[in-house]
């Protein structure tokens, strides 16, 4: 049996003896707790202590974006501004109730997925979308109405020229189907009820008129539908915007 240190009072019956073993264990636990607090505070130890936290020091600026950034265009803004009423060429173009137009068919800037050169107009018949490819990987997208089955055209061509508030002349085949159009066989002057709307872009292939147009329409509710006689129609406010961006001979791809 070990002897007690000098001056230490012997324990009474029932008292526990705190040995050196117990003191050492308590000291170890106290020291470990202090080190744990230091580690939690982000500190590191040296000389064989607890290892420092391995924090990720990559800054957010070095993380690559998921997709390319979208450019800013002063004419691509809120729908309330883009589809407000306006005066153009002496005509008062009415406001479009844009809330009744599906959001995907409203004018907007998107990442270009067409693979075509900037300046190319791409019409996706199935999507009911028209894309004007921009430099830098963007495209301006517009919702469109397309031709009914049996009245659609696809292929590669060019815009030969354009007209503001164009005259509409129904072809003889259309007059045969709708005799009431005979009154316009010499041409319907441009205006708010004209089927070509505020602007028309005339599509030529190999120097010949295809008979197909990209044009405006007062029938904004027809966007996203297949109900025309083959031409591609846009909301009047959208064709005015598109027309302002197109120069002579822009390539056209209809798929």
């Amino acid at each position: 049996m070990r002897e007690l240190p000098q001056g230490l009072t012997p324990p009474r019956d029932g008292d526990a003896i705190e040995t050196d073993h117990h003191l050492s264990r308590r000291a170890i636990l106290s020291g470990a707790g202090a080190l744990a607090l230091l580690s939690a505070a982000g500190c590191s130890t040296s000389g064989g202590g607890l290892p420092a936290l391995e924090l990720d020091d990559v800054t957010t600026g070095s993380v690559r974006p998921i997709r390319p950034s979208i450019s800013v265009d002063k004419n691509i803004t809120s729908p309330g501004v883009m589809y407000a009423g306006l005066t153009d060429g002496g005509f008062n173009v009415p406001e479009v109730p844009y809330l009744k137009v599906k959001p995907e068919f409203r004018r907007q800037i998107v990442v270009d997925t067409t693979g075509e050169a900037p300046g190319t107009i791409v019409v996706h018949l199935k999507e009911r979308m028209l894309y004007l490819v921009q430099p830098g990987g963007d495209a301006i997208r517009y919702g469109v109405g397309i031709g009914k089955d049996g009245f659609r055209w696809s292929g590669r061509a060019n815009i030969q020229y354009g007209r503001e508030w164009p005259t509409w002349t129904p072809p003889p085949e259309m007059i045969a189907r709708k005799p009431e159009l005979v009154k316009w066989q010499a041409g319907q002057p441009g205006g708010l009820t004209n089927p070509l709307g505020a602007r028309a872009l005339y599509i030529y292939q190999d120097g010949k008129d295809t008979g197909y147009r990209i044009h405006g329409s007062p029938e904004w509710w027809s966007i996203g539908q297949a109900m025309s006689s083959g031409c591609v129609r846009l909301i009047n406010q959208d064709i005015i915007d598109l027309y302002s961006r197109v120069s002579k001979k822009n390539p056209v791809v209809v798929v």
Side-chain angles (χ1 to χ4, degrees), residues 9 40 59 63 90 179 191 205 215 220 223:
T9 304
T59 61
V63 178
Q205 188 178 52
H215 64 84
W220 56 264
I223 302 306

Side-chain angles (χ1 to χ4, degrees), residues 6-208:
Q6 294 294 325
L8 188 62
T9 304
R12 297 186 300 272
D13 291 343
D15 287 346
I17 299 176
E18 189 166 12
T19 65
D20 290 344
H21 169 73
H22 289 88
L23 290 171
S24 299
R25 183 171 180 270
R26 180 177 297 171
I28 291 171
L29 290 174
S30 298
L35 289 173
L37 289 174
L38 287 174
S39 296
C43 301
S44 62
T45 61
S46 59
L50 294 178
L53 295 177
E54 295 183 3
L55 300 177
D56 184 0
D57 60 356
V58 177
T59 61
T60 56
S62 65
V63 178
R64 296 187 57 154
I66 296 175
R67 68 177 189 178
S69 59
I70 298 296
S71 65
V72 176
D73 189 294
K74 65 179 182 180
N75 290 328
I76 312 294
T77 179
S78 68
V81 173
M82 293 189 294
Y83 297 112
L86 70 151
T87 300
D88 180 87
F91 297 101
N92 294 320
V93 181
E95 176 186 5
V96 174
Y98 67 87
L99 290 176
K100 297 182 179 181
V101 179
K102 291 182 178 181
E104 61 265 31
F105 293 135
R106 301 172 195 164
R107 188 192 323 162
Q108 55 195 280
I109 298 178
V110 298
V111 173
D112 175 48
T113 59
T114 69
E116 299 290 341
T120 304
I121 296 173
V122 181
V123 178
H124 274 280
L125 298 174
K126 185 176 181 180
E127 294 180 4
R128 313 289 204 264
M129 302 289 187
L130 182 150
Y131 299 82
L132 177 62
V133 181
Q134 302 292 292
D138 294 343
I140 302 175
R141 191 180 76 188
Y142 310 82
V144 300
I146 64 171
K148 297 175 288 187
D149 288 342
F151 291 90
R152 297 173 192 166
W153 174 87
S154 61
R156 288 183 174 267
N158 290 86
I159 298 300
Q160 186 74 9
Y161 60 92
R163 292 285 184 268
E164 299 184 13
W165 297 102
T167 297
W168 176 63
T169 304
E173 299 82 5
M174 183 177 290
I175 295 176
R177 294 194 306 272
K178 299 180 178 180
E180 67 274 17
L181 296 178
V182 69
K183 63 181 179 179
W184 301 125
Q185 62 182 352
Q188 179 182 358
L192 294 174
T193 61
N194 188 297
L196 294 182
R199 305 284 191 275
L201 299 168
Y202 295 77
I203 301 175
Y204 276 57
Q205 188 178 52
D206 299 325
K208 297 180 181 180

